Amino acid sequence: MSARIIDGKQVAKEMREELKVKVATLKEQGIVPGLAVILVGEDPASKSYVSAKEKACEEIGIFSDDNRLPADVTQEELMAIVEAKNNDPKINGILVQLPLPSHLNESEVLLAIDPDKDVDGFHPINVGKMVVGEKAFLPCTPHGVVQLLARSGVEIEGAHVVVVGRSNIVGKPVANMLLQKKENANATVTLCHTRTKDMAHFTKQADIIIAAAGRPNTVTADMVKDGVVVIDVGVNRVEDATKKRGYRLVGDVDFDAVKEKASLITPVPGGVGPMTITMLLFNTVESAENTLETVNN
Ligand code: NAP
């Protein structure tokens, strides 16, 4: 059996069409959702992520407020900008592109973002709400993973999900989301990491595997059962002399071999990646809708 490929670009496109409709409805009520993007310095990868986020905003009608700061900006100056965005009613979401230069205190900056505008879902208030099952902004990549599963018709309830990786931005939140007593959750979750003894023992039992280790071939065909659903979050560069840029991108899963046993699998690139920015747009629109609820109540 060869797996059906989950097309992340297509799912992302469908979600962005839905968001466009929501933005149009908000505009009829006088609200233009606004996302403030704060970029410090000239890191090429960060610049390209920020440009992609701004372009995605414009495509669905979100106002993108571009704040590019020099690499030597002081902590005080940066905190003042965050504070100004917290108090600006045109701004519904604030995104500080990470990593920040080393002279800046990243956690102090993230803590300063108003939790009601924390569309990255990294503020401890939102993390705490997520864990106890309250409404919160969910972090974008893990939420994208859940949407990919749900929109591909995967039965999450009752499934045994094995998550490989326990980072604060992917592994821990996706595990938390899937174990909630909620729709698109109710799974039995096992979380593996580098200290897990005999990881294959767990992955072989999995109905769904979510790989977020940041290492190629972490999940190989001998580690999975027939019919498994595989979501590969990993993005790794491997040398490839046949490519002009000298490398290609691969996930954490041995895609070619695992797809012969899986029922569904995401490719890298083109799987989880396109969902991350989509979920940022989703949170920004939700934040704008929340202001409407506040006005109406
Ligand atoms: P991270 O902070 O480096 O965390 C990696 C986690 O994987 C750690 O918990 C680590 O365990 C675990 N791990 C590493 N090697 C392992 C192995 N051989 N067996 C079992 N566990 C292992 O990485 P991250 O930020 O979560 O990102 C993970 C991957 O997802 C990266 O490739 C990243 O580029 C990608 N990513 C993609 C997107 C997207 O939009 N597509 C977004 C975010 C991240 P320990 O805790 O024990 O060290």
Side-chain angles (χ1 to χ4, degrees):
M1 180 175 70
S2 192
R4 180 158 68 86
I5 309 297
I6 298 179
D7 183 348
K9 278 191 210 154
Q10 183 57 30
V11 178
K13 195 171 156 217
E14 283 162 21
M15 285 199 76
R16 289 182 196 200
E17 289 304 320
E18 292 166 18
L19 289 170
K20 247 188 211 172
V21 174
K22 288 189 173 192
V23 171
T25 308
L26 281 164
K27 283 186 179 168
E28 280 165 17
Q29 296 168 82
I31 294 181
V32 179
L35 175 68
V37 180
I38 301 172
L39 171 65
V40 180
E42 299 291 329
D43 176 63
S46 293
K47 277 167 95 172
S48 96
Y49 292 141
V50 161
S51 301
K53 287 168 186 175
E54 289 172 344
K55 186 166 165 267
C57 282
E58 279 152 26
E59 276 168 11
I60 70 154
I62 291 178
F63 158 60
S64 164
D65 170 41
D66 183 6
N67 300 271
R68 306 214 173 198
L69 310 176
D72 61 355
V73 69
T74 65
Q75 183 77 13
E76 291 66 33
E77 287 165 335
L78 181 54
M79 295 291 278
I81 289 170
V82 170
E83 194 51 31
K85 302 302 167 192
N86 281 343
N87 295 322
D88 184 344
K90 293 195 299 300
I91 298 302
N92 303 103
I94 302 170
L95 179 139
V96 178
Q97 184 64 41
L98 302 178
L100 291 173
S102 57
H103 70 281
L104 296 169
N105 181 338
E106 207 164 271
S107 64
E108 191 186 13
V109 174
L110 295 182
L111 270 176
I113 296 173
D114 179 348
D116 289 338
K117 297 188 178 186
D118 167 42
V119 286
D120 253 341
F122 290 154
H123 194 289
I125 295 268
N126 281 311
V127 176
K129 284 185 173 176
M130 173 191 72
V131 171
V132 297
E134 276 182 35
K135 190 171 183 284
F137 289 122
L138 299 174
C140 299
T141 300
H143 192 194
V145 168
V146 176
Q147 288 295 321
L148 273 184
L149 289 169
R151 287 169 182 257
S152 306
V154 175
E155 180 73 36
I156 303 173
E157 179 157 330
H160 181 195
V161 180
V162 173
V163 178
V164 182
R166 57 174 164 186
S167 75
N168 288 333
I169 63 161
V170 190
K172 275 187 214 160
V174 82
N176 258 297
M177 282 177 210
L178 291 170
L179 58 76
Q180 295 295 326
K181 199 168 184 175
K182 282 188 175 168
E183 197 188 356
N184 295 334
N186 274 319
T188 302
V189 180
T190 302
L191 195 52
C192 297
H193 45 76
T194 57
R195 306 297 196 275
T196 300
K197 288 181 186 154
D198 190 9
M199 193 165 74
H201 169 77
F202 300 102
T203 54
K204 275 182 197 159
Q205 297 172 37
D207 303 307
I208 300 170
I209 295 176
I210 298 170
R215 217 194 65 162
N217 290 322
T218 304
V219 177
T220 50
D222 57 325
M223 294 168 68
V224 308
K225 71 177 182 186
D226 286 329
V228 66
V229 173
V230 180
I231 305 289
D232 193 350
V233 185
V235 181
N236 307 293
R237 283 182 182 192
V238 294
E239 269 182 43
D240 187 341
T242 67
K243 302 280 176 202
K244 210 168 150 191
R245 55 190 179 181
Y247 67 87
R248 69 194 151 86
L249 296 179
V250 300
D252 292 346
V253 176
D254 179 2
F255 180 83
D256 289 335
V258 172
K259 82 173 188 327
E260 297 307 318
K261 287 178 89 175
S263 57
L264 279 169
I265 190 166
T266 57
V268 177
V272 175
M275 294 301 289
T276 298
I277 293 183
T278 305
M279 302 323 295
L280 175 73
L281 304 176
F282 179 95
N283 282 349
T284 306
V285 171
E286 189 170 84
S287 179
E289 289 174 340
N290 291 345
T291 63
L292 202 60
E293 278 168 28
T294 313
V295 171
N296 291 341
N297 285 337

